[in-house]
Amino acid sequence: MRARLRGQIQQLLAFASLIAIVVFFSIANDRFLTWANVTGILLAATVVGLLALGTTFVIITGGIDLSIGTGMTLSAVMTGVFLTYLGMPLWLGVILAILFGGLLGLINGVNVAVLKIPPFIATLAMMLVAAGLSLVISGTAPIYFKETPDFVRLATGSLIPGIRFPNGVLIFIIVAIVAGVILKKTLLGRYTFSIGSNEEATELSGVNVTKWKIAIYTFAGLFTGLAGVLLASRLSSAQPALGMGYELEAIAAVVIGGTSLQGGKGSIVGTVIGALIMAVLTNGLRIMSIPQEWQSVAVGAVILIAVYLDILRRKNA
Amino acid sequence: MTPETTTTTALLDLSGVSKGFPGVQALDDVRLELRHGEVLALVGENGAGKSTLMKLLAGIYTPDAGTFRLNGEEFSIEGPRHAQELGIAIIHQEFNLMPDLTVAQNIFIGREPRSGGVFLDDRALNRSAQELFDRLGLTIDPTERVEHLTVARQQMVEIAKALSFNAKVLIMDEPTAALNDAEVEVLFELIQRFRTPDTGVIYISHRMDELARISDRITVLRDGRYIDTLETATSTVGEVISLMVGRTITGEQRPGQVQRSPDVVLSVAGLSTKKLLKNVGFELHRGEILGFAGLMGAGRTELARAIVGADPIESGRITVDGREVQIGNPADAARLGIGYLSEDRKRLGVVLEQDVATNIVLSTLPAFTSKAGFMRDGAIIRTAREFIGRLRIKTPSANQLVKNLSGGNQQKVVIAKWLAKDCDILIFDEPTRGIDVGAKDEIYALLEELARQGKSIIMISSELPEVLRMSHRIAVMCEGRLNAVLDNAEATQEIVMDYATRFSAEGTVS
Ligand SMILES: Nc1ncnc2c1ncn2[C@@H]1O[C@H](COP(=O)(O)OP(=O)(O)OP(=O)(O)O)[C@@H](O)[C@H]1O
Ligand SMILES: [Mg+2]
């Protein structure tokens, strides 16, 4: 009982910080709290947020995934290949691109769970491989979606009539809910926590840890694929040189959301809030015309503060 | 193998079992027979191979040779899950729960009830756990997270988990190492409930007094070999011990009347902490062994941690060699010559992924560094070998990783580490927990030797005979208060227990 209460307080605190930042920026600048700007923030949170959702699972197992940034780029390039080069129908190309992200995750999972390569190294290698392949496959030039003009509407169009609410954000909300349910209510989620909490004990309890780890990394890869698709749609092109650095932003969002890098602890709600904090911060600082360099400094400071507060909370608990 | 012979075939029968690790023959042609309805104690010195044998049964290791029979039928074990399916449940020596999961989630890990095939049914999960606890007579909240339970209750969860498999063979590897007397009673109760004509229990323990109470027969291993099996009813503790160690052990003795040195090396006055301690004060003399007795939770570990600065102090004065000191953390304490050997050695005492030699010199590394800043590997190995010999640490070499040592030998490594540091004041928290009788004797001799050399020792122990045997004076704590400091000559088990259970007495000791 106490434990559950404590978990809720933790999320409440993260949420309170988000509100505080929003209030601060809306007072500081009246352009901040406009519909256009808010949907802009949400759309910006979508791509990093999707990556963060998948990575939350990996981090709760006590692992890390550095390949999500460039993996996303490669998935975007593959979307271009499927839709533009191969001329596939929109739905098929999109599904294949998402599955391609899953394939990258599967390879990570096998490297980590079967070959026992530490996650940091396995996914670092995958990060470089994906970055290189994106350039090779695209011939270092962006791929545009001439054959499928509707593709762009996937992220930026609005399904809800009358309101300009980007589909990308809608997709993110739905996917986040699904991820939350899977983490809390299914075997995959339960074993994610269990492995991160005590991998050896989980194995000794008769759970096939190898199999489940592969499943978890593969599952996380699907988010990478989806992020690639939405990024390509938003930019109306697959940009092969983009992507490096997204993985760190996503990991930062996860950590700000209270997920422990030691594994065993974390939540989807936390990650969503973390992603929003990152997006609000970047947007707010830009609106206030803080130079790019200083934005980066501010984000770094926020990560330190967030994680330290989390440590304090745990100590007093 | 006719069915009529079931009364004479054993429940579990192992023969010719061998298992080697690089540099160690952990088991060599071992046999073991567990009969229907019996509790078989398995004893042996640290590193004798007890845990290894049980891990073979649990499907964690595969044997190099040997046949396993269950009710007369030969079988082999493919993995932990398979062992569970065969009806073999094991409670490991090491902590084996997932601290971030709830009690119920831990118990049913790998067997989660689901609704609609996909979604976990946590309500059914909690209900099953509650039913299990009701059946076992335990009061534990199934929805509490395991990390918030005391060690003893975590142990109960492990036992409940093992029993939830409807196991036929229940293996317990030192289940009482972290339990107090009342909790041991609960455990024995559970074992009695589990015991039926078609089940059996293998019980590993270093606590000799338990064997007579709980076991029907005792199997002794030594150096990875089968030595003998005795009927508990017709054998003595002395017999068992001499089979275990292959030599006779000196009996219990009380420390001789020593001339207590007038020098006070450590004096604590009015020490209180927010959590537990209330106005604790005592003096420790040079060359003295001061035993701390009390029930679990009496505040002995808290006192030690407060003294070495591991936990914050609310009020109180600490004086070392006549000088008042402020100790902010264990490093300060070490600088003042106070060493603290944690009771939780597994978690706080050793670096499992490092070798024996590194662990032994870890806290004294600067002394093993040359002027130019390089490590003096030769000196490190020499020192390590010296302690390996002195404490009889069973390891193929000083370069073996600590995680590959048996549980008891890991503990000896920690003790060696603090001895290497050469502190003047040593606080030992449960120094012999999980250590076999032979090694216990050596550790006692060591403590006495240290005291003779002029070191001052605080020994916290939950085993009263040990406290009475070792201590010059005995401090008794209860509910965070120091209820009495007794001279060894005036102390008996009864008197100590009396002070340890005076629950709200006004404890002022001069
Ligand atoms: N994984 C391993 N790798 C190498 N050696 C090992 C390994 N596991 C155990 N050993 C060695 O095998 C021997 C038997 O160890 P085991 O853990 O079975 O002893 P034990 O009888 O349980 O002792 P204790 O009472 O201290 O728990 C020891 O010498 C130990 O160092
Ligand atoms: Mg053992």
Side-chain angles (χ1 to χ4, degrees):
Chain A
M1 285 317 213
R2 271 192 344 252
R4 223 171 297 147
L5 201 72
R6 207 173 297 145
Q8 279 164 2
I9 290 173
Q10 178 170 332
Q11 269 165 25
L12 226 64
L13 277 171
F15 191 63
S17 339
L18 174 61
I19 299 293
I21 299 174
V22 168
V23 168
F24 170 78
F25 282 125
S26 28
I27 294 172
N29 194 307
D30 50 11
R31 267 184 304 142
F32 180 78
L33 217 54
T34 57
W35 182 254
N37 193 47
V38 169
T39 51
I41 291 174
L42 291 177
L43 200 55
T46 295
V47 169
V48 168
L50 280 173
L51 294 178
L53 287 179
T55 302
T56 303
F57 284 79
V58 171
I59 291 180
I60 293 176
T61 66
I64 192 90
D65 191 346
L66 298 176
S67 70
I68 47 178
T70 60
M72 170 187 74
T73 310
L74 185 54
S75 300
V77 168
M78 290 313 289
T79 316
V81 170
F82 294 141
L83 295 182
T84 305
Y85 290 3
L86 302 179
M88 287 183 188
L90 184 60
W91 63 272
L92 182 64
V94 166
I95 286 177
L96 283 183
I98 295 172
L99 290 180
F100 184 82
L103 176 69
L104 296 178
L106 175 73
I107 297 170
N108 281 333
V110 169
N111 288 340
V112 170
V114 180
L115 306 184
K116 312 268 184 236
I117 301 171
F120 187 93
I121 301 183
T123 60
L124 179 73
M126 178 57 87
M127 165 175 142
L128 297 172
V129 168
L133 283 182
S134 304
L135 294 169
V136 170
I137 292 172
S138 64
T140 72
I143 308 176
Y144 296 94
F145 298 95
K146 298 182 291 277
E147 316 288 326
T148 44
D150 276 352
F151 177 63
V152 179
R153 306 201 27 181
L154 193 66
T156 52
S158 178
L159 214 61
I160 310 168
I163 317 172
R164 257 208 71 249
F165 194 74
N167 290 335
V169 180
L170 211 59
I171 293 174
F172 175 68
I173 293 171
I174 293 167
V175 169
I177 291 171
V178 170
V181 169
I182 287 177
L183 185 62
K184 275 264 148 19
K185 294 271 174 230
T186 69
L187 270 191
L188 186 102
R190 180 64 46 81
Y191 292 154
T192 302
F193 280 108
S194 186
I195 291 169
S197 195
N198 187 341
E199 182 167 338
E200 202 182 329
T202 308
E203 175 95 56
L204 293 183
S205 303
V207 175
N208 189 337
V209 169
T210 307
K211 185 185 98 183
W212 282 102
K213 262 193 179 171
I214 294 175
I216 292 163
Y217 276 88
T218 308
F219 179 67
L222 296 176
F223 290 83
T224 310
L226 181 59
V229 169
L230 286 190
L231 183 72
S233 166
R234 207 179 93 198
L235 302 176
S236 53
S237 61
Q239 299 285 346
L242 211 77
M244 201 79 93
Y246 276 68
E247 67 283 339
L248 297 182
E249 275 186 50
I251 292 168
V254 174
V255 169
I256 290 175
T259 295
S260 160
L261 282 177
Q262 261 108 58
K265 295 188 169 68
S267 72
I268 292 298
V269 177
T271 294
V272 170
I273 293 173
L276 287 175
I277 288 179
M278 294 283 289
V280 167
L281 212 61
T282 315
N283 175 282
L285 292 171
R286 189 161 5 140
I287 281 197
M288 291 178 67
S289 323
I290 310 277
Q292 178 98 50
E293 308 77 285
W294 285 106
Q295 289 178 24
S296 170
V297 172
V299 171
V302 164
I303 292 173
L304 284 181
I305 294 167
V307 174
Y308 181 64
L309 284 180
D310 195 40
I311 290 171
L312 277 190
R313 262 203 304 278
R314 260 159 229 240
K315 213 190 266 169
N316 293 334
Chain B
M1 231 136 295
T2 47
E4 295 91 289
T5 56
T6 43
T7 42
T8 51
T9 46
L11 173 57
L12 183 72
D13 183 67
L14 315 179
S15 59
V17 178
S18 296
K19 174 73 185 173
F21 297 106
V24 195
Q25 189 62 35
L27 294 172
D28 182 9
D29 193 20
V30 167
R31 66 198 136 97
L32 179 140
E33 181 204 55
L34 176 66
R35 294 179 187 159
H36 288 91
E38 84 167 340
V39 176
L40 175 72
L42 182 61
V43 300
E45 286 185 287
N46 297 132
K50 305 178 296 290
S51 296
T52 304
L53 186 59
M54 296 308 111
K55 283 181 187 168
L56 293 177
L57 277 174
I60 298 167
Y61 298 149
T62 38
D64 299 339
T67 39
F68 293 12
R69 284 200 176 80
L70 199 60
N71 285 318
E73 242 168 276
E74 201 171 323
F75 70 103
S76 62
I77 303 169
E78 272 129 42
R81 169 56 65 83
H82 188 211
Q84 288 170 1
E85 284 162 7
L86 288 166
I88 301 173
I90 182 163
I91 295 156
H92 292 279
Q93 190 170 7
E94 298 84 21
F95 176 75
N96 257 301
L97 295 172
M98 283 67 75
D100 300 300
L101 301 192
T102 68
V103 168
Q105 289 169 356
N106 263 282
I107 290 177
F108 293 103
I109 185 85
R111 302 172 289 161
E112 291 79 1
R114 271 173 280 171
S115 56
V118 191
F119 297 107
L120 295 171
D121 187 349
D122 273 346
R123 210 165 310 151
L125 183 81
N126 291 332
R127 213 178 320 114
S128 308
Q130 190 59 58
E131 278 163 18
L132 178 67
F133 289 144
D134 290 346
R135 190 151 54 85
L136 299 175
L138 296 172
T139 48
I140 298 176
D141 179 1
T143 62
E144 182 70 276
R145 269 208 266 169
V146 163
E147 63 182 338
H148 298 132
L149 299 179
T150 62
V151 177
R153 292 174 83 74
Q154 293 179 348
Q155 183 83 24
M156 292 299 162
V157 173
E158 290 215 48
I159 291 165
K161 178 178 171 187
L163 293 181
S164 72
F165 283 100
N166 293 322
K168 291 280 168 277
V169 178
L170 176 62
I171 299 167
M172 301 190 172
D173 199 345
E174 297 194 39
T176 55
L179 303 189
N180 68 25
D181 290 345
E183 291 155 352
V184 169
E185 288 310 316
V186 177
L187 175 73
F188 284 178
E189 180 82 5
L190 287 179
I191 292 177
Q192 294 303 358
R193 274 190 212 205
F194 172 76
R195 188 215 295 246
T196 66
D198 51 47
T199 59
V201 178
I202 299 176
Y203 187 89
I204 299 176
S205 177
H206 288 298
R207 291 199 189 169
M208 289 296 140
D209 52 323
E210 288 177 353
L211 304 186
R213 283 204 47 205
I214 193 75
S215 73
D216 302 303
R217 296 187 306 145
I218 303 171
T219 291
V220 183
L221 297 184
R222 185 168 75 225
D223 292 330
R225 271 186 291 273
Y226 174 87
I227 301 298
D228 204 353
T229 299
L230 309 170
E231 295 285 338
T232 310
T234 58
S235 48
T236 65
V237 171
E239 265 177 89
V240 177
I241 291 177
S242 58
L243 285 178
M244 275 172 63
V245 297
R247 64 200 146 86
T248 36
I249 297 268
T250 51
E252 294 201 0
Q253 286 175 320
R254 291 226 171 176
Q257 259 317 43
V258 279
Q259 195 64 28
R260 196 193 312 154
S261 152
D263 305 355
V264 173
V265 289
L266 172 75
S267 141
V268 172
L271 187 73
S272 300
T273 61
K274 251 209 201 99
K275 271 208 208 117
L276 186 62
L277 299 179
K278 292 177 208 76
N279 198 23
V280 175
F282 67 90
E283 291 182 338
L284 177 68
H285 294 256
R286 183 174 312 288
E288 174 182 47
I289 301 179
L290 177 61
F292 269 79
L295 302 177
M296 267 215 191
R300 295 166 301 163
T301 296
E302 287 73 9
L303 175 62
R305 290 179 58 89
I307 291 174
V308 300
D311 289 335
I313 291 177
E314 203 170 39
S315 64
R317 255 197 348 266
I318 298 175
T319 320
V320 176
D321 287 330
R323 263 187 318 119
E324 190 176 334
V325 291
Q326 298 292 335
I327 301 176
N329 52 48
D332 286 352
R335 254 194 305 280
L336 291 163
I338 307 175
Y340 172 56
L341 258 105
S342 156
E343 65 179 327
D344 193 353
R345 278 169 223 108
K346 252 326 208 340
R347 212 155 53 83
L348 307 174
V350 281
V351 188
L352 289 173
E353 298 288 339
Q354 294 280 338
D355 63 18
V356 174
T358 307
N359 269 284
I360 290 178
V361 301
L362 196 60
S363 55
T364 38
L365 269 183
F368 290 96
T369 312
S370 71
K371 290 231 170 58
F374 296 106
M375 303 309 311
R376 288 164 37 223
D377 285 329
I380 290 176
I381 293 288
R382 262 196 309 284
T383 306
R385 289 216 181 107
E386 181 199 322
F387 282 106
I388 288 170
R390 247 169 90 188
L391 296 182
R392 308 207 326 146
I393 299 173
K394 195 159 176 273
T395 171
S397 83
N399 299 322
Q400 176 73 291
L401 297 187
V402 168
K403 69 169 177 186
N404 289 337
L405 298 192
S406 77
N409 281 300
Q410 293 184 352
Q411 308 204 355
K412 291 192 200 172
V413 170
V414 187
I415 294 181
K417 177 174 99 176
W418 283 100
L419 293 182
K421 194 157 170 82
D422 208 23
C423 292
D424 283 330
I425 301 169
L426 285 162
I427 306 176
F428 288 90
D429 200 347
E430 305 285 0
T432 62
R433 177 179 291 168
I435 285 189
D436 67 62
V437 261
K440 251 182 200 170
D441 237 49
E442 285 147 22
I443 285 169
Y444 294 155
L446 238 146
L447 293 187
E448 277 158 5
E449 173 62 28
L450 289 168
R452 257 195 303 280
Q453 290 167 7
K455 312 242 184 248
S456 313
I457 293 169
I458 290 176
M459 187 187 78
I460 299 170
S461 169
S462 295
E463 286 185 45
L464 261 187
E466 173 172 295
V467 177
L468 290 171
R469 174 187 164 166
M470 292 301 299
S471 324
H472 301 133
R473 288 188 304 150
I474 298 161
V476 192
M477 291 189 72
C478 177
E479 290 181 328
R481 272 183 311 269
L482 186 56
N483 272 355
V485 179
L486 310 163
D487 267 323
N488 187 291
E490 54 170 324
T492 63
Q493 295 222 16
E494 291 71 34
I495 294 175
V496 173
M497 275 319 285
D498 181 39
Y499 281 110
T501 50
R502 280 197 192 169
F503 280 109
S504 40
E506 219 52 62
T508 39
V509 179
S510 46

